[in-house]
Amino acid sequence: MSADTPIVELRNVSKNFGSVIALQDISLQVRGGEVCCLLGDNGAGKSTLIKILSGVHRPDTGEVLIEGRPVRFSNPRDALDLGIATVYQDLATVPLMSIMRNFFMGREPVKGRGPWQRFDKKLANTVTAGEVAKIGIRIRDPHQAVGTLSGGERQCVAIARAVYFGARVLILDEPTSALGVKQASMVLRYVAQARADGLAVILITHNVQHAYPVGDRFLLLNRGRSMGFFRKKEVTRDQVTNMMAGGAEMQDLEEELARIARSQPPSGVAAG
């Protein structure tokens, strides 16, 4: 694979659910060491696109390519086996379980053989503490409940788990949507670190203020259709914001609101 070959690529992908067009003719490429931001309002098709990339849905038309080779996912395990890891908004964590148990959930290290095989708690504790420390989170004990961490810390733990288990493509579904400024900054720093480590990152968001500082490429969706796939040098933050806001639609709304305001009597003055 040459350095210029995308790790993951979509070519002219479309997906319908009955008469509903979820995606139509969508293409994107993401290389190692890049962050591609997938932007769009609710109903734009973002969720359908990431489900195609993560093996939940199959496209009706078009191709998914990994390192230049066409692939067909039968299920999410196929995508995981090729290094595509998705961190959803709900994080797939269990708040009352320990950080260590959440980190290794479904992939527990074992020691011993045959009927004497058992969970290697010592190794799990050591790995969890080390990986969490790498992302700047200091925990008192790997056995503390993951629910005691902040939202930003839980996001970073979920991302660290995906990276530790060999992710080459990291798909993040609205990772900052429910976070404050400080916690969102923590997550975005870790996204930048994942890019520096050579991962291909797909960041799904509707927040341009979070996407633009960390993004290298931007795919804008509107009702299942592409509004453009841009490199950062090709588009400004204001242009992305304007496309996200609907441009002409927002201008029409402003004019309509101005007409309504002019038609109303001033405050405190009774209508004749």
Side-chain angles (χ1 to χ4, degrees), residues 9-249:
E9 181 177 3
L10 296 182
R11 290 183 184 170
N12 307 113
V13 164
S14 297
K15 181 67 179 178
N16 296 346
F17 295 98
S19 61
V20 177
I21 300 174
L23 293 174
Q24 182 172 337
D25 202 28
I26 302 298
S27 298
L28 69 80
Q29 308 88 34
V30 192
R31 291 162 177 80
E34 283 187 343
V35 177
C36 174
C37 295
L38 180 58
L39 296 159
D41 210 342
N42 293 334
K46 304 189 302 295
S47 295
T48 302
L49 190 148
I50 65 172
K51 286 177 180 177
I52 287 174
L53 283 171
S54 60
V56 176
H57 295 322
R58 287 185 179 181
D60 295 329
T61 60
E63 289 184 309
V64 179
L65 296 94
I66 303 298
E67 296 181 340
R69 297 188 300 271
V71 297
R72 286 180 65 84
F73 300 137
S74 298
N75 52 57
R77 174 57 62 182
D78 289 348
L80 277 171
D81 289 344
L82 288 175
I84 300 175
T86 304
V87 179
Y88 293 100
Q89 282 179 281
D90 59 12
L91 303 179
T93 57
V94 182
L96 295 179
M97 285 175 58
S98 70
I99 299 170
M100 178 266 288
R101 284 287 185 177
N102 272 280
F103 195 93
F104 283 98
M105 187 163 47
R107 297 186 178 186
E108 292 81 359
V110 296
K111 59 183 178 180
R113 294 182 179 181
W116 295 278
Q117 197 172 71
R118 60 197 184 278
F119 179 40
D120 192 341
K121 288 185 179 180
K122 184 177 180 180
L123 175 61
N125 281 333
T126 301
V127 170
T128 301
E131 294 301 312
V132 169
K134 284 181 185 178
I135 59 179
I137 299 175
R138 297 291 181 263
I139 58 175
R140 297 184 301 276
D141 183 352
H143 290 282
Q144 74 186 76
V146 78
T148 63
L149 300 178
S150 70
E153 289 172 334
R154 289 198 298 274
Q155 280 282 356
C156 289
V157 168
I159 296 170
R161 177 179 62 190
V163 173
Y164 177 77
F165 284 108
R168 295 183 300 155
V169 180
L170 190 59
I171 303 174
L172 306 178
D173 180 21
E174 298 278 5
T176 61
S177 62
L179 304 182
V181 174
K182 184 176 181 179
Q183 294 182 7
S185 298
M186 176 189 298
V187 174
L188 294 176
R189 279 194 210 94
Y190 196 49
V191 169
Q193 182 60 52
R195 172 179 59 193
D197 290 340
L199 274 71
V201 183
I202 300 175
L203 175 64
I204 293 89
T205 183
H206 61 271
N207 191 322
V208 179
Q209 304 307 316
H210 291 168
Y212 197 82
V214 76
D216 300 298
R217 295 170 181 258
F218 303 91
L219 174 63
L220 283 83
L221 295 180
N222 182 21
R223 298 180 184 177
R225 294 171 173 81
S226 173
M227 299 172 65
F229 185 46
F230 307 97
R231 295 178 183 270
K232 193 167 190 173
K233 63 183 180 182
E234 297 171 340
V235 66
T236 66
R237 188 196 307 250
D238 287 344
Q239 287 173 325
V240 174
T241 303
N242 189 50
M243 284 186 280
M244 280 280 294
E249 292 180 17

Side-chain angles (χ1 to χ4, degrees), residues 253-267:
L253 176 60
E254 289 176 5
E255 292 174 356
E256 181 181 349
L257 293 175
R259 287 196 299 271
I260 293 172
R262 287 194 299 268
S263 68
Q264 293 178 338
S267 177

